[in-house]
Amino acid sequence: MPLFSASDITKSFAGVQALRGVSFELRQGEVHALIGENGAGKSTLIKIMTGALTPDSGTLKLNGHVLTHHSPAHARALGIAVVYQQPALFPHLTVAENIALSLEAGGMWRRVDWKSRAARAIELLERAGSAIGPGRLVATLSMPEQQIVEIAKAIGADAKVLILDEPTASLTGHEVESLFRVIAALRSHGVGIVYISHRLEEISAIADRVTVLRDGQTIDTRLVNEVDRAELIRLMVGREVSAIFPKRKVPLGDVVLETRALRSRAAGIRDVSLTVRSGEILGLAGLVGSGRTELAETLFGLTPADGGEILLRGKVVRIHSPSHAIGLGMGYVPEDRRQHGVVLEMPIAANASLACLPAVSRYGMIDAARERGLARGCVEQLRIKTGSIYAETGSLSGGNQQKVALARWLAIHPTVLILDEPTQGVDVGSKSEIHGLMIDLAEQGVAIMMISSELPEILGMSDRIAVMHAGTVAGVLSRQEATQHAIMHLALGGTDA
Ligand SMILES: Nc1ncnc2c1ncn2[C@@H]1O[C@H](COP(=O)(O)OP(=O)(O)OP(=O)(O)O)[C@@H](O)[C@H]1O
Ligand SMILES: [Mg+2]
């Protein structure tokens, strides 16, 4: 008997049939991967499993018992724990408080034993493979660190069913390895694990079985060691796609962006000296916490520099705010799209035109027809899955929101474009399309800085690779010199050979 099963589940939202008869079963002590293109229905299915959404029809069973009136509290009580695609922590509370809040009964206002609370948090974080300080405010944590806190919470809940929705999207090699050790340990204790990821190599590394969803339907469930990557892709997209990085050689122009001994105490970066040429893709590699996102935020004026220089086309500039940076011709797609990537409450069309209002405006008014044209173009070019360009961006699937964040910059041609994990959470087919678009932009002379935690992406797409460690650049590798090994060596604090 399966540990958990969902049969013939349907679910529709206003105008969108997200699930049309999905069936899925999870055994005790297995890692069951759930894969499919952006918008296939993966997150919707797991929200139904955790009681966060009510299905329109279908049956859920745990240990053979039908679950009726399923709710998040009910799911928690039954030992179903989940780490959502977007961490859902309280930013103004500490790490220990967040963990305690989810585990302790009776609410947080009763008398608490701070010492044991901190000790418990440290222990769970350690089991999640991390040494994040329990006293830190969640607001100060990076996305990957928040993800790890979510995982610690789930471990603490002593779950029988553990659902992970793209837990590794923003993690680098080391963190992924330690997460995999955690998963393996839980599996050996009989926990059933549902694992969602767009990184297919992870599926073969960690999963026992894999279920493929497409357009809200179950396509197939297979044993992982009886199916190869090409077949998984075929099952997912229903057609042949090459998932090879389509790097084309683009002639490089002049240096467009240069930093000289750049420092920002607030951002924790120091002594960063880099150049990016027109037409060049500079990869920025490094571990979580090495300062890559912080460097991007300093360049874009979110945490302004307090030392060193930024030069744009040879001229020293002091970038004091994002709007100043945009005015200077810079574009930025942040990793945490919820914070400043897209406005979730706004329709797709408005998000797409946000950075190029002059182009869609006439006499200071937005020209609806031009905006519509622009948005339609973006939706088509990036294959954003939506019923309408006027749909709220927040109603899109995670990967499709990421595409909207990118769409904005395709409409204008910035001088410098900084992309933080541009294909995070994006499915294989769309990923190679985004890579193709990046090269198109480079061909048009845009200087691109790409932060990525995926070494194959860094190696495949970059002309040169700057590796960060402890807030500074540990070394810069040419395309020829760069290997996974050379990058990891620098990322771990080794010196440039
Ligand atoms: N609250 C909502 N309102 C309207 N439509 C929604 C809502 N939630 C999901 N959808 C739609 O349901 C479909 C399935 O979305 P879901 O988030 O389950 O996809 P997914 O497989 O998790 O994709 P991704 O890989 O991008 O995370 C999408 O078309 C999405 O736009
Ligand atoms: Mg999803």
Side-chain angles (χ1 to χ4, degrees):
M1 178 174 60
L3 172 61
F4 185 95
S5 72
S7 2
D8 237 351
I9 304 287
T10 65
K11 175 75 190 174
S12 62
F13 300 99
V16 183
Q17 180 91 34
L19 300 179
R20 9 179 141 228
V22 163
S23 295
F24 175 79
E25 77 169 45
L26 179 68
R27 294 179 192 149
Q28 203 182 344
E30 82 164 337
V31 177
H32 195 140
L34 190 60
I35 66 171
E37 286 187 292
N38 295 130
K42 305 178 294 295
S43 295
T44 305
L45 174 61
I46 66 148
K47 283 178 193 152
I48 286 171
M49 292 176 65
T50 61
L53 285 174
T54 312
D56 298 337
S57 65
T59 314
L60 300 175
K61 284 185 192 168
L62 184 69
N63 290 319
H65 299 289
V66 176
L67 303 178
T68 47
H69 306 296
H70 202 38
S71 69
H74 189 220
R76 256 196 311 277
L78 292 172
I80 301 173
V82 59
V83 176
Y84 284 116
Q85 203 163 1
Q86 304 286 346
L89 299 165
F90 296 98
H92 54 286
L93 297 182
T94 65
V95 169
E97 285 166 340
N98 265 283
I99 292 178
L101 205 55
S102 73
L103 301 183
E104 293 172 11
M108 65 175 299
W109 306 118
R110 69 202 166 78
R111 193 181 285 276
V112 291
D113 176 351
W114 294 102
K115 252 180 138 171
S116 72
R117 213 181 228 194
R120 176 93 172 117
I122 291 172
E123 181 221 319
L124 291 173
L125 287 163
E126 207 172 282
R127 281 174 64 193
S130 163
I132 298 169
R136 282 179 63 189
L137 273 188
V138 162
T140 69
L141 301 182
S142 66
M143 275 281 275
E145 286 171 329
Q146 293 186 36
Q147 200 75 264
I148 288 165
V149 173
E150 288 280 22
I151 291 163
K153 269 168 55 182
I155 296 173
D158 235 345
K160 307 283 170 288
V161 174
L162 174 61
I163 303 169
L164 301 163
D165 194 354
E166 294 190 49
T168 59
S170 58
L171 303 188
T172 52
H174 274 267
E175 290 113 13
V176 174
E177 275 170 33
S178 75
L179 175 65
F180 280 8
R181 277 195 293 277
V182 174
I183 292 177
L186 292 169
R187 165 171 53 194
S188 68
H189 286 104
V191 177
I193 295 158
V194 181
Y195 188 86
I196 298 180
S197 176
H198 287 291
R199 297 186 182 174
L200 295 184
E201 64 281 3
E202 292 180 355
I203 307 299
S204 49
I206 193 72
D208 303 296
R209 290 194 298 164
V210 53
T211 289
V212 182
L213 297 190
R214 191 200 312 153
D215 292 331
Q217 284 175 305
T218 307
I219 299 300
D220 207 354
T221 295
R222 306 283 277 272
L223 287 170
V224 162
N225 54 20
E226 287 175 6
V227 58
D228 63 11
R229 183 187 170 90
E231 188 168 10
L232 284 179
I233 294 176
R234 205 164 45 242
L235 290 170
M236 266 164 52
V237 301
R239 59 192 155 82
E240 298 285 340
V241 203
S242 88
I244 316 293
F245 299 97
K247 179 71 179 161
R248 297 191 301 271
K249 220 165 162 42
V250 172
L252 302 187
D254 296 335
V255 171
V256 173
L257 173 70
E258 181 174 359
T259 65
R260 292 187 186 153
L262 190 69
R263 185 191 65 198
S264 165
R265 279 202 196 88
I269 58 158
R270 61 192 163 86
D271 209 20
V272 174
S273 298
L274 285 174
T275 57
V276 195
R277 291 172 178 278
S278 163
E280 183 174 41
I281 299 178
L282 178 76
L284 213 52
L287 303 181
V288 169
S290 61
R292 299 169 303 165
T293 296
E294 289 74 10
L295 173 59
E297 290 179 348
T298 299
L299 289 171
F300 201 63
L302 282 157
T303 39
D306 53 23
E309 288 177 334
I310 301 172
L311 293 88
L312 276 175
R313 298 201 182 281
K315 280 213 334 243
V316 176
V317 289
R318 301 212 159 276
I319 303 173
H320 46 73
S321 69
S323 57
H324 184 206
I326 293 172
L328 291 167
M330 296 178 73
Y332 175 43
V333 178
E335 173 181 34
D336 186 350
R337 55 185 171 261
R338 274 185 185 240
Q339 245 173 33
H340 23 246
V342 290
V343 187
L344 295 176
E345 296 75 25
M346 287 198 331
I348 300 165
N351 266 298
S353 62
L354 209 54
C356 60
L357 289 178
V360 295
S361 307
R362 233 187 265 170
Y363 314 117
M365 306 269 286
I366 291 182
D367 179 336
R370 283 198 201 179
E371 185 184 75
R372 194 159 58 231
L374 176 85
R376 291 235 165 92
C378 288
V379 163
E380 222 166 87
Q381 201 174 12
L382 290 172
R383 290 200 305 124
I384 295 171
K385 193 178 172 211
T386 177
S388 153
I389 56 169
Y390 299 112
E392 241 184 49
T393 305
S395 77
L396 297 180
S397 76
N400 284 300
Q401 287 177 22
Q402 176 72 1
K403 294 189 203 173
V404 172
L406 194 65
R408 175 183 311 169
W409 303 107
L410 298 177
I412 54 170
H413 293 140
T415 316
V416 175
L417 183 57
I418 303 170
L419 303 170
D420 196 348
E421 308 283 359
T423 63
Q424 181 179 100
V426 163
D427 66 52
V428 276
S430 307
K431 193 165 176 170
S432 62
E433 278 155 34
I434 288 176
H435 287 148
L437 287 168
M438 283 170 61
I439 293 167
D440 291 347
L441 290 173
E443 251 167 8
Q444 291 157 18
V446 180
I448 298 177
M449 195 179 230
M450 178 189 71
I451 299 172
S452 171
S453 294
E454 253 193 272
L455 283 180
E457 178 171 57
I458 283 273
L459 289 166
M461 291 299 294
S462 313
D463 294 293
R464 285 182 307 137
I465 296 154
V467 187
M468 291 194 71
H469 172 73
T472 194
V473 175
V476 179
L477 303 166
S478 69
R479 198 171 163 80
Q480 291 71 38
E481 296 166 313
T483 57
Q484 301 225 3
H485 182 81
I487 293 174
M488 283 320 292
H489 178 71
L490 288 170
L492 290 169
T495 44
D496 213 344

